[in-house]
Amino acid sequence: MNEVSIRTEYIKLDTFLKLANCISTGGSAKMLIAEGLVKVNGESEERRGRKLYPGDTVEVEGEGSFKVARED
């Protein structure tokens, strides 16, 4: 599982996918999420604005698993 560090309290799912280099644009994030290829904490997620906090896990089909970490 790859860790992706954030500096803020939370990060939105579509922004996180860009930060994790899973996609390159917001439109790509929308399609990926709409196709049901993204899970947050083991549950399928359809909201691209879903807030992710340190400790949350994101699974992207074909890309792998990522953990949200707090950057100190």
Side-chain angles (χ1 to χ4, degrees):
M1 181 174 301
N2 299 311
E3 279 198 0
V4 178
S5 297
I6 62 171
R7 294 182 182 160
T8 55
E9 179 185 355
Y10 65 86
I11 187 170
K12 291 184 179 179
L13 179 57
D14 58 351
T15 305
F16 180 83
L17 294 174
K18 286 191 272 186
L19 186 62
N21 293 317
C22 293
I23 47 99
S24 57
T25 66
S28 297
K30 185 177 180 179
M31 288 189 312
L32 195 67
I33 294 166
E35 291 174 7
L37 302 176
V38 179
K39 291 183 179 180
V40 175
N41 298 327
E43 304 265 336
S44 185
E45 183 56 65
E46 296 179 359
R47 298 170 293 165
R48 66 181 184 175
R50 162 83 185 256
K51 292 178 182 177
L52 303 174
Y53 295 89
D56 285 342
T57 59
V58 178
E59 296 172 54
V60 182
E61 192 170 308
E63 295 291 331
S65 298
F66 305 87
K67 184 172 185 173
V68 182
R70 177 83 176 161
E71 185 175 290
D72 294 326

